[in-house]
Amino acid sequence: MSFERPDFRHPKLAKNSAGYSRKDYEGAISTLCAGCGHDSTTSALIQACFELSIEPHRVAKMSGIGCSSKTPAYFLSRSHGFNSVHGRMPSVATGANMANRDLLYIGISGDGDTASIGMGQFAHALRRNLNLNYICMNNGCYGLTKGQDSATADKGSAGKKGKPNPYTSIDLCELAIELGASYVARGFSGDKTQLVPLIKGAIAHNGLAFIDVISPCVTFNNTSTSTKSYEYVRDHIEATNTFDFVPLQQEILAHYPEGTSQEVVMHDGSIIHLHKADSSKDVTDRMKCVNNLELEKSKGRLLTGLLYVNPEIMETHDIINSTLRPLNSLTEADLCPGNNALQMINASLR
Amino acid sequence: MNKIESINDFVVRFANVNGSGSASANNLFAQAIFRLGIPVSPKNIFPSNIQGLPTWYEVRVNEHGYLGRRGGVDMSIAVNGQTLYNDYLEVLPGGYFIYDSTKELSEEFSRNDLTTIGIPLTRLCNDEFQNPKLRQLLRNIIYVGSLAYLLDMDFSVLTDSIKKQFQKKPKLAEPNIKALELGYDYAKEHHQGACKLSVRKSNKLVDEILMDGNSAIGLGAVYAGATVTGWYPITPSTSVIEAFERYAGKFRTEPDTGRHKVAIIQAEDELAALGIVIGASWNGARAFTATSGPGISLMSEFLGLAYFAEIPVVLVDVQRTGPSTGMPTRTQQSDLLSCAYASHGDTKNVLLFPCDPKECFDMGADAFDLAERLQTPIIIMSDLDLGMNDHVSAPLHWDDNRKYDRGKVLSAEDLDNLKERWGRYLDVDGDGICYRTYPGTHPTKGAYFTRGTSHNEYSAYTEYSPIYRAGMERLLVKWETARTMVPKPHIKIRDPKATVGVIFFGTTTHAAYEAISRSSKKGLKINSLRVRAFPFHDEVVDFIDRHETIFVIEQNRDAQLRTMLMAENGVSPQKMQSILYFEGMPVTADFITENILALLDKDQQAAAKSSKGEKA
């Protein structure tokens, strides 16, 4: 069952510039386990949408199957949502986006949904650069079927079942960069300060924005032997940068010492202002970004933050040169060539 | 030897090597027959290969308008060394065997019941043309020229066709016309009077067109306002999307911006192809995809989602010979069961069965209205024969006053005017079809969560048994609504008192009508019904009820339509006898006639035997 929240709104709740309060971005009450990382990720999403004054009904929430894919029920209840089939969120999101390019698409997936059954669709949504905010809630295990290792579980990591994972893990961020993603980030559900601006940047990005959110499974994979536990992640996290997301036409007030900051102007004119831990790291250089990930991994560190961005790249609609009008708004007059044209076709077939 | 003699009624078969450019020469011949006003049905019999394997092109010329395959070959144009001897053996006694006499036939070609006609194609071609690439192509054109003489065809129809074909490159028309003349002149000089088959201009074709079914479906989708397709290449369905893209390119480009009013996405597989269609339909665009049997298998999970979450889908299945890869370039009608019940759990899908290009166009367009009205997958069951071969067809027509039926969709204004609480799966009208909304419609109303998991009338997740059951039963109410909306069968009652009825569908139609007509000449009275949709219309059941015996003719091994008639309508298996053809070629009138006669004979013997038994 899903349980709706009460409608009650405190009259003095703060409103954003679109006139919505934070509550307007909430959804049904979560039925995930208490302490689940996914609920924190959901909360970060709500905050990002609220702060960016997104109109809730202009968002479409897409998901596959799994614990993570349930979460679209728990945020933005004024948006349409689509809980599709396992591993197939990217294709359903592709179709939805093709039908109406004017909505904001948030795709929620998990590590089983993305790195195993949905690997093909993940790869191809990336290479088409679909205008989609693809959030993978990554806990290294299959929660809904009770804790089997997923393909992102680190080699040697052991969850509640106790058996160390014998296989190499898949780094979704590295893969995403290599497959042509234009915005790749990694967050931690336990670090909302970092996650909220990452999501905002993704929303402003015109193309596929992939965020791998390490989101611990408290029930099956939060053991002392797991590398996806809250404790392990907190101890091994390495932020490549912290950043402010400055929406379009807002004045930048902060100033940073030279060499430690980088500005990335997004397609819509918004600015991502990065404060880098290491001035040699450039988030627009694809090869260096992959190197950074590998380098930190070899040190046993988990690199987070904005890992790679290319704001100039074309998204799917630009690539296929489709009309600027939403395809679902076109009518007979736009679409049907009429009988005269058909008679000419008949004539050409005689 | 009695030579086969006939005017406008014979079968010519070309035997070629695939990838040698024979298709355009053979098309040229079939098109010339068509332009002479004579009903013609060409069948391309090709391998799953790009170059080097045997391929045939069978052209039936038939003044009476029988467009199915007849069976047997009256004239063979054999230019493939690999199959030469078999092609020789296949010619009917009294027939004609045309070959490339640059190389003489060996001794085993010793039949004395056919006329052998040698044309030195390679020598003629090499003597005249220097360009090696052109030589290969023109060698084929030469035999078309020879045919023009042998069959006494109007030569100008061929040259006009060539000129039309090369309108933009008149330089290329020249050598083609030269090649035609070479063949014509050689045959005239060496084989005068050899052939008793001939072609005469006819008035049997008036405004008909010559078109393949896949192009007609692709064009139908353009007319129906399809804007999104996700697709994955698979023979024999690929040309549906290619046609859609071609026509969309012509009619859907914004003149001011050059942008397209269509999104065509080549997907990574058939799963994604259908996922794209489902996402787009859910979001209010008309979307479709085309595939063949193996693709249907891959789409099966998604079909279940679309059925249960009630999302319109238009899916074209151009059937080929299965199972597995089977014979991917051969035809069959063998996906009925896998499409009708595609997916896990209790699922039933609406099927449409076109039988010619006109119906491909009409059903290709109507499927979108049906899908959106019924909010469910509609599968158009074509096949390789219909999809990839050219067929003589009635011309296409579009009613310019036609409005798309987008089904039960609420606008922002509708939502504001609602007096009752809206529920996505609430059956307000009692027809099993509920009202839906598109994303982004209204700031506060009409949003819902779509899921394949069980849901209540307000689309909230539930595992409460009575609600699940009620939802499943409502889908059956919708199924009954579908039964009243799908195309009715075509019934021909030739004799109200006839006790035998035959049932068939799709590309079996033409050969079946011919077989019935031949049987009636033997004094047999047979009524017929052509199924055009599933769920079966009530008229199908009435037709079965009024006859003692039903023959079900299908191009598959397992009698799939018969199984569905038994399962869905409780027709007794004893009442229905099958005529099954599943060799991968389009079924022939000869085959159906023989089987109808044999079954009737068997019935009569059984009847005689049982009446004897009664007497004893």
Side-chain angles (χ1 to χ4, degrees), chain A residues 120-134:
Chain A
Q121 299 215 341
F122 170 63
H124 288 271
L126 288 169
R127 64 181 275 273
R128 290 187 201 108
N129 201 28
L130 183 72
N131 196 5
L132 168 74
N133 302 292
Y134 191 128

Side-chain angles (χ1 to χ4, degrees), chain A residues 177 262 282-290 292 307-309:
Chain A
I177 296 170
Q262 183 179 4
D282 179 354
V283 294
T284 58
D285 183 325
R286 204 163 144 213
M287 277 164 73
K288 277 189 189 158
C289 295
V290 175
N292 289 340
L307 304 173
Y308 173 69
V309 63

Side-chain angles (χ1 to χ4, degrees), chain B residues 463-481:
Chain B
E463 291 172 10
Y464 186 50
S465 304
I467 291 180
Y468 166 77
R469 182 183 159 162
M472 290 299 285
E473 284 174 344
R474 184 195 33 91
L475 288 173
L476 284 181
V477 174
K478 185 160 89 171
W479 185 249
E480 289 310 310
T481 304

Side-chain angles (χ1 to χ4, degrees), chain B residues 96-363:
Chain B
Y96 306 86
F97 182 73
I98 301 172
Y99 70 104
D100 181 355
S101 59
T102 309
K103 192 180 168 208
E104 280 312 310
L105 294 174
S106 62
E107 279 175 10
E108 59 179 348
F109 289 78
S110 58
R111 284 177 66 173
N112 53 16
D113 62 345
L114 53 73
T115 305
T116 306
I117 298 172
I119 312 277
L121 299 170
T122 308
R123 185 172 59 77
L124 289 173
C125 190
N126 290 358
D127 287 352
E128 182 70 28
F129 306 107
Q130 306 312 316
N131 180 333
K133 200 178 161 195
L134 212 55
R135 272 181 182 171
Q136 197 187 25
L137 299 171
L138 294 174
R139 198 172 73 118
N140 302 315
I141 301 290
I142 293 175
Y143 64 65
V144 178
S146 299
L147 280 178
Y149 173 75
L150 294 167
L151 298 172
D152 199 16
M153 289 168 73
D154 180 356
F155 196 71
S156 66
V157 175
L158 290 169
T159 50
D160 286 352
S161 288
I162 293 276
K163 283 175 193 160
K164 193 176 167 187
Q165 189 185 339
F166 296 106
Q167 221 162 13
K168 285 176 187 157
K169 300 173 190 163
K171 265 200 167 170
L172 280 174
E174 231 169 85
N176 276 279
I177 290 169
K178 179 71 201 166
L180 282 174
E181 286 167 355
L182 280 176
Y184 188 94
D185 293 345
Y186 186 91
K188 187 178 179 184
E189 199 173 315
H190 298 86
H191 301 290
Q192 205 160 24
C195 181
K196 304 285 181 202
L197 303 176
S198 64
V199 168
R200 295 271 184 284
K201 198 170 172 59
S202 167
N203 57 5
K204 285 287 150 60
L205 299 181
V206 185
D207 59 353
E208 281 82 355
I209 56 172
L210 191 63
M211 188 183 202
D212 65 274
N214 282 356
S215 293
I217 291 180
L219 184 60
V222 170
Y223 270 75
T227 51
V228 179
T229 178
W231 71 288
Y232 189 76
I234 180 171
T235 305
S237 75
T238 308
S239 54
V240 172
I241 304 297
E242 286 171 345
F244 179 71
E245 187 161 18
R246 191 170 68 242
Y247 289 120
K250 189 170 175 186
F251 296 117
R252 294 277 191 80
T253 306
E254 292 177 337
D256 46 341
T257 64
R259 289 176 176 271
H260 311 302
K261 291 181 277 187
V262 69
I264 300 170
I265 304 287
Q266 184 179 327
E268 52 272 30
D269 51 35
E270 285 90 344
L271 290 80
L274 190 56
I276 289 166
V277 171
I278 288 172
S281 283
W282 173 77
N283 209 359
R286 287 197 150 183
F288 82 111
T289 188
T291 189
S292 191
I296 296 290
S297 300
L298 291 178
M299 291 173 178
S300 180
E301 185 187 23
F302 256 139
L303 281 168
L305 173 77
Y307 173 78
F308 192 50
E310 300 182 60
I311 298 163
V313 163
V314 173
L315 169 58
V316 183
D317 178 12
V318 188
Q319 299 167 90
R320 67 187 208 187
T321 309
S324 191
T325 324
M327 293 197 282
T329 57
R330 300 296 154 93
T331 195
Q332 212 166 53
Q333 300 178 312
S334 51
D335 294 343
L336 268 67
L337 289 170
S338 68
C339 286
Y341 306 112
S343 211
H344 43 279
D346 287 319
T347 315
K348 291 199 224 199
N349 301 306
V350 174
L351 312 180
L352 303 179
F353 302 104
C355 83
D356 61 20
K358 164 99 168 88
E359 217 167 34
C360 284
F361 176 80
D362 291 341
M363 286 184 176

